[in-house]
Amino acid sequence: MLMDPERSLLLIVDVQSRLMPVIERADQAVSEISWLVAVAEHLAVPVWCTEQNPDGLGPTEPRLASILPASTRGIVKRHFNACREPGFVEGLKELSRPQVVIAGAEAHICVLQTALGLREQGFEVFWLIEGCVSRRLEEARLARERLVQAGGVVVSVDMVAYEWLQRCDDNTFRDVHRRLLKPRAGRPLRLTP
């Protein structure tokens, strides 16, 4: 199944200021998620962002928070699984966006539980491999494997961007290529094992 920008939503789970310092590859995750946010904004793909107990874990990481579109829906949550928060699933269903690209921390706790909750609700879930991170890489890998067993799909940031773009011969692609794709091309990247 291909990701379609008119059917997709980008969900960022708990990329928070007090959590990121203990997360492996946090800087890369924040950079990759931020880059995809820019692509999403350009293509009018909605962005939702959760914060788990922000009094304890702090607000969304400042580098990410500073580039979130004004239209970003912010959700404060107490459940690890965002689908258990009142109105969360109903809000997603109202958007008629059955494809959810998910990223965040920790991969094996809040990201996984939310992803599994979305699968239970019938959503297509795309696990952003560069953006789903934990304190330990093995935890993130195990979470990814579990989601795949539940029907989720592992994707990279480039896969998402190019599937959302769909074609190379229009002004949208040329603009995104010039502003986002070309400058990013030489950046080193390590995928989670």
Side-chain angles (χ1 to χ4, degrees):
M1 77 193 109
L2 292 172
M3 291 166 280
D4 183 322
E6 294 181 5
R7 300 179 70 231
S8 294
L9 176 134
L10 175 58
L11 176 60
I12 304 164
V13 177
D14 309 345
V15 178
Q16 291 170 255
S17 60
R18 292 187 195 139
L19 181 58
M20 290 300 101
V22 298
I23 299 293
E24 285 200 50
R25 298 191 186 159
D27 286 340
Q28 174 181 286
V30 171
S31 294
E32 296 300 301
I33 294 167
S34 297
W35 185 85
L36 192 57
V37 165
V39 174
E41 183 176 25
H42 198 84
L43 299 175
V45 172
V47 177
W48 284 22
C49 187
T50 70
E51 292 178 347
Q52 177 78 24
N53 184 27
D55 292 338
L57 295 177
T60 296
E61 201 278 336
R63 291 175 295 159
L64 178 58
S66 70
I67 59 93
L68 289 173
S71 61
T72 300
R73 179 166 175 190
I75 298 106
V76 172
K77 65 186 186 65
R78 301 291 181 224
H79 293 91
F80 301 122
N81 176 359
C83 295
R84 293 182 182 259
E85 294 298 327
F88 182 84
V89 171
E90 295 78 11
L92 283 175
K93 288 183 177 180
E94 285 174 16
L95 285 178
S96 297
R97 300 238 174 199
Q99 297 181 327
V100 178
V101 177
I102 193 167
E106 287 195 61
H108 66 293
I109 304 171
C110 294
V111 180
L112 177 63
Q113 289 187 36
T114 300
L116 292 172
L118 290 168
R119 288 294 302 137
E120 288 175 351
Q121 293 293 325
F123 289 90
E124 297 171 40
V125 179
F126 297 88
W127 181 272
L128 194 67
I129 194 165
E130 303 97 325
C132 293
V133 290
S134 290
R135 294 168 198 251
R136 293 174 295 277
L137 291 177
E138 283 301 306
E139 296 276 21
R141 182 192 57 76
L142 184 59
R144 181 184 73 228
E145 289 173 5
R146 187 167 169 203
L147 180 65
V148 168
Q149 291 171 353
V153 179
V154 178
V155 295
S156 70
V157 170
D158 273 7
M159 287 179 192
V160 177
Y162 281 94
E163 286 179 36
W164 282 351
L165 285 163
Q166 298 179 344
R167 57 187 308 150
C168 68
D169 62 347
D170 62 10
N171 288 334
T172 299
F173 176 81
R174 284 188 278 279
D175 188 37
V176 171
H177 184 267
R178 179 182 50 78
R179 288 181 44 229
L180 299 168
L181 296 170
K182 192 173 182 181
R184 180 180 182 275
R187 247 181 19 209
L189 179 69
R190 293 182 62 200
L191 298 180
T192 304

